[in-house]
Amino acid sequence: AASGRALRWASGRAPARGLRASPRARTAMPSWVIDRYGSNEVLRFTRDMMFPIIHFPNEVIIKVHAASLNPIDLSMRSGYGATALNMKRDPLKLKTGETEFPLTLGRDVSGVVMECGLGVSYFKPGDEVWAAIPPWKQGTLSEFVVASGNEVSFKPKCLSHTEAAALPYVGLTAWSALNQVGGLNQSNCSGKRVLILGASGGVGTFAVQLMKAWDAHVTAVCSHDASMLVKKLGADDVIDYKSGNLEEQLKTLPLFDFILDNVGGSTEKWALDLLKKWSGATYVTLVTPFLINMDKLGVADGMLQTGVTVGSKTLKHLLKGVHYRWAFFMPSGPSLDEIAELVDSGKIQPVIDEVFSFSEVPKAFLKLEGGHARGKTVVNVIRQ
């Protein structure tokens, strides 16, 4: 599927489908928005959110059937990363006096294509699709959302919209860390020892399944009450971080070829000592100071501080014989194509903690805020 996408888009002269207009012209739609940053009380339901418009020929409008929440939604609600995201939204500062509000949160979408831009030949109205919308764009807790065609993929046939909405953001985040940054793939994983720190959340449950699909040996770290879930997903060894000193528990095991860290904090100080030295072993963390630095120091100084930090850590660990890397979520329709194939072949399944109706979005945020999730918090925008 990904190659077909590449061929059609690379030609640049795909037969124009024209704008696919929806049956009625719409100017407003129901949506959950925030008008300022803060805690849960800033969430507001409105029926008057501006209907999304296709601005570029490669964009599509999706009718949202289901969305889901991720920790980044909590962070964005509180203003985390606002400096960097606003720079991405308006890099030339052309919109003087305008703000990002009202802002719709939610990154995952499973739904149906309603309209296509002039340059879109890979999708057509009526197609069932899924996507993860980048955080600098308006989100998916809305009746409709606009996305670039290269962010969208056909929904796995074996999943409902509710199930499909649980996977895109966490799947692409794990894919970025393991495949694009970490260099792991189906042909080089067999027998590799992989350690996943924080294995019971959205990214962790996906990573466990992906590594097992690629025939790695997986050691998963989570709390005792999540151990059965993680074992069911295929983990070979499950370590309860509450049952004693985690570092000492892990030191009793053979060294690892790869570590994915979803936890951060103090784990980074000792986790790299668990890697095989001088063998290409890699530590990848998803917990980075990039957005915090830009919020605190501004764009220029924040980027400089971030560069110095990652550069010094990379060099320090390289001299000790291991690779140190940062990874981030990256939107990618072609990567979702590959994930969809794994889902339809039964190698990856969504892990859902709880499902909420569209009227219960504030409750869904509170659920996520409570922590200790076992998979994803999903919101049915249309009653399934």
Side-chain angles (χ1 to χ4, degrees):
S3 60
R5 174 201 300 269
L7 287 171
R8 289 182 178 183
W9 286 345
S11 70
R13 297 204 319 233
R17 293 183 180 276
L19 184 67
R20 302 286 183 157
S22 53
R24 295 185 293 160
R26 294 278 298 272
T27 58
M29 63 178 178
S31 183
W32 282 93
V33 301
I34 61 172
D35 302 300
R36 57 189 170 88
Y37 296 118
S39 52
N40 222 39
E41 75 276 358
V42 300
L43 289 165
R44 174 175 67 88
F45 178 75
T46 178
R47 295 190 177 278
D48 299 316
M49 185 63 176
M50 184 182 295
F51 193 84
I53 298 170
I54 290 176
H55 287 103
F56 299 99
N58 70 328
E59 289 182 332
V60 298
I61 293 176
I62 301 168
K63 182 173 180 61
V64 181
H65 283 235
S68 71
L69 300 183
N70 297 279
I72 191 173
D73 294 304
L74 290 177
S75 301
M76 288 178 64
R77 186 197 64 190
S78 303
Y80 167 78
T83 302
L85 295 175
N86 282 335
M87 183 189 74
K88 181 69 177 175
R89 290 176 185 121
D90 186 21
L92 301 179
K93 299 190 183 303
L94 298 175
K95 301 173 183 175
T96 311
E98 289 189 25
T99 72
E100 63 269 37
F101 303 116
L103 180 65
T104 304
L105 302 174
R107 310 270 54 93
D108 296 290
V109 57
S110 182
V112 175
V113 174
M114 297 299 290
E115 300 181 14
C116 297
L118 292 168
V120 175
S121 62
Y122 197 66
F123 303 104
K124 65 184 185 303
D127 285 341
E128 293 193 328
V129 296
W130 64 344
I133 309 298
W136 53 88
K137 295 185 178 182
Q138 288 288 13
T140 60
L141 293 173
S142 212
E143 187 181 10
F144 296 90
V145 68
V146 66
S148 298
N150 57 1
E151 296 163 357
V152 180
S153 169
F154 292 109
K155 178 183 75 67
K157 295 180 178 63
C158 68
L159 297 185
S160 68
H161 287 295
T162 303
E163 293 167 330
L167 283 173
Y169 187 86
V170 295
L172 288 172
T173 303
W175 193 273
S176 164
L178 298 166
N179 175 260
Q180 293 171 302
V181 174
L184 300 180
N185 56 57
Q186 188 173 1
S187 62
N188 68 7
C189 266
S190 183
K192 273 196 167 71
R193 289 184 51 77
V194 175
L195 172 64
I196 299 174
L197 299 165
S200 64
V203 174
T205 52
F206 184 94
V208 169
Q209 295 181 85
L210 181 61
M211 289 295 89
K212 290 311 298 177
W214 289 349
D215 203 26
H217 181 284
V218 174
T219 300
V221 175
C222 60
S223 62
H224 176 71
D225 60 335
S227 61
M228 287 300 293
L229 165 67
V230 175
K231 281 180 183 173
K232 186 179 175 184
L233 295 175
D236 299 284
D237 297 318
V238 179
I239 308 295
D240 175 10
Y241 68 87
K242 293 181 178 178
S243 67
N245 183 292
L246 177 59
E247 180 183 357
E248 295 305 319
Q249 289 186 79
L250 291 170
K251 278 182 177 176
T252 65
L253 302 175
L255 294 173
F256 295 95
D257 299 289
F258 190 95
I259 297 174
L260 174 63
D261 189 353
N262 296 300
V263 178
S266 61
T267 56
E268 188 176 300
K269 295 175 184 175
W270 49 261
L272 286 101
D273 295 331
L274 304 172
L275 290 169
K276 299 174 183 175
K277 305 292 188 290
W278 307 108
S279 65
T282 304
Y283 167 93
V284 177
T285 179
L286 289 162
V287 184
T288 74
F290 176 62
L291 294 178
I292 294 173
N293 282 345
M294 292 183 75
D295 284 341
K296 285 183 178 177
L297 305 173
V299 173
D301 288 346
M303 291 179 75
L304 178 63
Q305 179 63 54
T306 300
V308 168
T309 301
V310 71
S312 61
K313 287 186 176 184
T314 301
L315 182 59
K316 180 180 97 172
H317 293 296
L318 193 59
L319 293 172
K320 295 179 180 178
V322 295
H323 297 287
Y324 174 95
R325 299 280 186 270
W326 287 356
F328 306 89
F329 158 78
M330 288 190 275
S332 171
S335 295
L336 279 176
D337 290 344
E338 295 192 60
I339 292 169
E341 288 180 19
L342 289 166
V343 172
D344 279 329
S345 66
K347 293 179 179 176
I348 289 179
Q349 57 183 310
V351 181
I352 297 175
D353 193 7
E354 194 168 344
V355 180
F356 293 85
S357 69
F358 195 44
S359 63
E360 297 176 312
V361 164
K363 283 186 185 177
F365 270 86
L366 288 175
K367 166 70 178 176
L368 187 63
E369 210 161 8
H372 305 292
R374 304 291 172 257
K376 292 295 297 293
T377 300
V378 176
V379 174
N380 279 332
V381 176
I382 291 179
R383 186 174 297 172
Q384 303 294 308

